[in-house]
Amino acid sequence: MTSEITLFVNPAAGRGRGARAARPAASALRSAGYAVRTVVGENAADALARARAAVADGTGALIAVGGDGVAHLALQAVAGTRTPLGLVAAGTGNDLARALGLPVRDPGAAGHLIADALKGARIRDVDLGRVGDRWFGTVLASGFDSRVNDRGNRMRWPTGRARYDLAMLAELAAFRPFPYRSTLDDGAVREVEATLVAVGNGPSYGGGMRICPGADLTDGLFDVTVVGDCDRTTLLRVFPKVYRGTHVGHPQVTVHRTVKVELAADGVSGYADGERFGALPLTARCVPRAVRVIGP
């Protein structure tokens, strides 16, 4: 592997933590003898084009510095190639890094871990989800949680996490279950009233909310969590359990394991890795060993 590697930086991640995190990460990698090139795009499309160019030019590794947004962009550049991906998690959510057992908000430690792992060839293949030509690493969310995202993205005030807390309260006030039509692995069409359906390649979204706690990045399967028709009181009682993953024991929650899932519901969008994938219907497939990751 070439000794030149690429830092792929989102300077806006975590209110500027991405740009600050790049410095100790780069220092750790240079101390280990690597030549480090930094890529910062003017916008998401430009950043992705630059990352893909680095991969095409034969960079030894692409190291994403930021949160789940920059990790998601990096996946689009390296999925299906032999270029390994490293993560310096410095954003708000960092769910892909958590799933991979990597340091969170400790860029120096992440840089040293990546350098040591590259020296020791500690690189492994993990699965990704795919919708059309877009890849995702963690969870494809739809229903109540995606409506919260939709509303939060339209709001200009407040900023940060408070925006989504307020959006959640507003969605609760207007809450209703959604009539879903789903197909698992080309089987029979299922029709169900559901609060949300989450398709997990990894276990968590939203900064550690373990919506699909049994999801495994190496088993070639999605865990599909369905929260059924429940009223506001039940939802408020069940939702906090998502942080521990214990919500799956509730009678209104079911989990299915599948390679492929087709989801349809009127007025519902899908978000994966925190990014909007568009309105349902969407079809997601789990692609085994789709990306090489630099790990502990």
Side-chain angles (χ1 to χ4, degrees), residues 76-183:
Q76 314 312 307
V78 299
T81 77
R82 299 301 295 165
T83 303
L85 173 67
L87 296 178
V88 177
T92 303
N94 307 309
D95 287 287
L96 185 56
R98 295 173 198 274
L100 293 169
L102 299 173
V104 172
R105 296 182 187 168
D106 190 342
H112 285 295
L113 184 151
I114 290 168
D116 291 345
L118 287 171
K119 293 286 188 184
R122 294 198 305 275
I123 297 171
R124 56 194 171 113
D125 295 324
V126 300
D127 308 336
L128 292 177
R130 189 167 190 176
V131 176
D133 61 356
R134 291 183 68 180
W135 302 90
F136 67 92
T138 56
V139 177
L140 173 66
S142 69
F144 175 74
D145 43 9
S146 67
R147 290 291 288 267
V148 171
N149 261 308
D150 281 338
R151 184 181 289 270
N153 290 342
R154 293 193 301 268
M155 295 167 63
R156 295 292 175 263
W157 183 91
T159 59
R161 187 75 182 223
R163 175 187 300 174
Y164 292 94
D165 291 341
L166 188 59
M168 181 177 292
L169 290 174
E171 282 300 319
L172 276 171
F175 174 73
R176 58 178 176 79
F178 306 98
Y180 275 89
R181 300 175 302 284
S182 65
T183 307

Side-chain angles (χ1 to χ4, degrees), residues 126-132 134-141 183-185 197-203 211-226 254-263 272-273 277 282-288 290:
V126 300
D127 308 336
L128 292 177
R130 189 167 190 176
V131 176
R134 291 183 68 180
W135 302 90
F136 67 92
T138 56
V139 177
L140 173 66
T183 307
L184 306 180
D185 285 341
V197 178
V199 180
N201 182 56
I211 187 69
C212 301
D216 183 337
L217 291 170
T218 62
D219 65 358
L221 295 168
F222 290 135
D223 276 29
V224 180
T225 300
V226 180
T254 56
V255 179
H256 309 277
R257 310 196 77 214
T258 183
V259 173
K260 174 184 172 185
V261 57
E262 300 175 37
L263 294 177
D273 296 342
F277 269 48
L282 294 173
T283 299
R285 293 174 177 83
C286 184
V287 182

Side-chain angles (χ1 to χ4, degrees), residues 7-11 13 17-19 21-22 25 63-67 70 86-90 107:
L7 281 186
F8 182 44
V9 182
N10 177 6
R17 281 196 298 269
I63 314 300
V65 184
V70 73
L87 296 178
V88 177

